[in-house]
DNA sequence: ACGAGCTCCTGCTTGC
DNA sequence: TGCAAGCAGGAGCTCG
């Protein structure tokens, strides 16, 4: 589902669609995706009219579209959110939730099947919406400091996968790229942060950066297909993932069968031999 | 502060 | 055939 590379793909696509465009009208078709706009759907529809978008920005998996008056339209894609640019009279695809009529005759559409995502207006949020301020820098941010984050990781006792999924430590990583990063680093997801050296933790963060950069680099078209075909993980099988979704298939390094294990109400994939728990932590 | 578990939500897949 | 359960998971929340 959308993690940093996918959200960045959406951000750069949106840039060409909304930058410099003025909003003529807004239509909320389902209230849930605007639940974080506290004044309600009616206010959301009215508040944006007549305002002009600047170039979209991103931190981790959060997107925001700055407005020329210093506020921002914030968006999170959640599990299944998509932005589409369509002609205003084009038929709505299923699960279309919010429409923005733009001054070039196009219509921006927010589509979200599962509605974990949402859009809302953030007063004064053009530079950094306050709803995003608690999110850590992501590995693509030039100010991202892997050594500083590594030092925080090794002071924690939680499993390393939980830690790299903690968006207040490092943002942008989701379940898929967490598993891919751990596979590259040959780490078991339950290895406590405190069992890592700073060097090893920083190495894991570098792997996270690299695997997401590779996805962003080669993934544009397959991501588009994913967003068209949101409802399954089928899109991911098209991609060159090394471990995620490969239950029972041979590890690309050692040939052992990849296992899928329950982790925090979701799944973790790992190679049982490349990514074993350290002996001193082995469970009965 | 930290760690862990729960909840939201829809639609496809699986199993009886 | 029909229905229910399982599964996908980002992030905010609560509880200990």
């Amino acid at each position: 589902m959308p993690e940093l590379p996918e959200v960045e793909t959406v951000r750069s696509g949106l840039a060409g669609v909304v930058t410099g465009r003025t909003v003529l009208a807004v239509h909320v078709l389902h209230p849930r995706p605007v639940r974080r706009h506290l004044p309600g759907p009616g206010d959301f529809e009215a508040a944006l009219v007549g305002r002009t978008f600047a170039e979209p920005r991103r931190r981790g998996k959060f997107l925001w579209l700055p407005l020329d008056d210093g506020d921002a339209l914030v968006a999170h894609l959640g599990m299944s959110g998509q932005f589409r640019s369509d002609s205003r009279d084009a038929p709505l695809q299923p699960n279309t939730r919010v429409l923005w009529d733009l001054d070039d005759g196009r219509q921006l559409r927010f589509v979200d099947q599962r509605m974990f995502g949402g859009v809302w207006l953030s007063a004064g949020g053009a530079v950094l919406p306050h709803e995003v301020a608690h999110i850590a820098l992501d590995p693509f941010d030039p100010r991202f400091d892997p050594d500083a984050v590594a030092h925080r990781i090794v002071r924690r006792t939680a499993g390393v996968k939980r830690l790299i999924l903690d968006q207040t430590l490092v943002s942008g990583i989701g379940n898929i790229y967490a598993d891919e990063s751990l596979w590259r680093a040959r780490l078991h997801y339950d290895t406590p942060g405190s069992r890592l050296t700073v060097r090893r933790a920083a190495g894991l963060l570098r792997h996270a950066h690299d695997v997401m950069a590779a996805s962003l680099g080669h993934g544009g078209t397959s991501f588009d297909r994913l967003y068209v075909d949101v409802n399954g993980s089928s899109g991911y099988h098209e991609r060159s993932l090394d471990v995620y979704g490969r239950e029972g298939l041979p590890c690309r390094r050692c040939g052992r069968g990849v296992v899928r294990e329950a982790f925090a109400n979701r799944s973790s994939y790992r190679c049982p031999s490349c990514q074993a728990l350290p002996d001193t932590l082995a469970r009965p």
Side-chain angles (χ1 to χ4, degrees):
Chain A
M1 301 301 143
E3 302 181 32
L4 189 156
E6 292 80 4
V7 178
E8 175 55 25
T9 301
V10 171
R11 190 207 63 78
S12 66
L14 272 177
V17 169
V18 304
T19 305
R21 297 270 68 81
T22 297
V23 176
L24 301 183
V26 181
H27 312 277
V28 174
L29 308 184
H30 195 299
R32 179 152 181 85
V34 297
R35 66 195 176 281
R36 293 193 69 174
H37 188 77
L38 301 183
D43 184 86
F44 184 84
E45 289 181 322
L48 273 167
V49 172
R51 303 219 247 170
T52 301
F53 291 119
E55 182 167 352
R57 308 185 66 165
R58 181 190 57 73
R59 176 182 286 191
K61 305 170 202 170
F62 282 84
L63 280 170
W64 65 98
L65 284 55
L67 296 161
D68 57 358
D69 56 12
D71 295 343
L73 174 64
V74 186
H76 197 291
L77 303 178
M79 290 279 295
S80 53
Q82 313 166 38
F83 277 105
R84 316 279 296 184
S85 169
D86 281 297
S87 135
R88 205 170 295 172
D89 55 5
L92 296 182
Q93 68 170 288
N95 306 311
T96 302
R97 308 305 188 188
V98 183
L99 310 173
W100 293 263
D101 292 338
L102 304 179
D103 65 347
D104 60 353
R106 304 287 294 174
Q107 190 171 58
L108 178 68
R109 298 175 173 179
F110 183 68
V111 181
D112 189 2
Q113 178 203 104
R114 293 176 216 179
M115 295 189 288
F116 279 32
V119 290
W120 65 95
L121 200 57
S122 178
V127 173
L128 180 67
H130 68 85
E131 298 91 341
V132 187
H134 67 293
I135 298 295
L137 299 180
D138 62 63
F140 286 11
D141 192 302
R143 295 165 294 170
F144 180 73
D145 183 349
D147 289 331
V149 177
H151 275 96
R152 294 182 66 189
I153 288 176
V154 302
R155 282 198 289 266
R156 302 273 295 267
T157 60
V160 66
K161 181 168 176 179
R162 280 185 186 280
L163 295 175
I164 62 173
L165 289 173
D166 180 347
Q167 305 295 302
T168 67
L169 273 177
V170 50
S171 68
I173 303 172
N175 199 42
I176 294 168
Y177 295 118
D179 280 4
E180 293 296 303
S181 304
L182 291 164
W183 182 85
R184 290 189 177 206
R186 305 181 191 233
L187 282 169
H188 188 294
Y189 53 84
D190 266 344
T191 310
S194 56
R195 295 293 295 258
L196 301 181
T197 61
V198 170
R199 185 188 198 74
R200 193 103 192 268
L204 174 62
L205 294 168
R206 274 198 305 278
H207 283 303
H209 172 276
D210 293 349
V211 72
M212 292 194 292
S215 275
L216 183 61
H218 72 62
T221 51
S222 57
F223 293 142
D224 286 345
R225 293 189 49 235
L226 175 69
Y227 287 119
V228 170
D229 180 25
V230 164
N231 54 4
S233 53
S234 60
Y236 286 100
H237 298 311
E238 300 285 318
R239 288 202 254 149
S240 53
L241 296 177
D242 286 313
V243 69
Y244 183 88
R246 290 177 44 83
E247 182 179 17
L249 297 173
C251 169
R252 297 194 198 277
R253 264 194 311 253
C254 74
R256 280 280 298 278
V258 168
V259 296
R260 177 167 70 100
E261 292 164 337
F263 166 85
N265 284 332
R266 42 190 59 93
S267 293
S268 270
Y269 296 86
R270 68 180 177 96
C271 168
S273 91
C274 297
Q275 299 172 267
L277 264 187
D279 287 344
T280 50
L281 292 170
R283 287 162 292 194

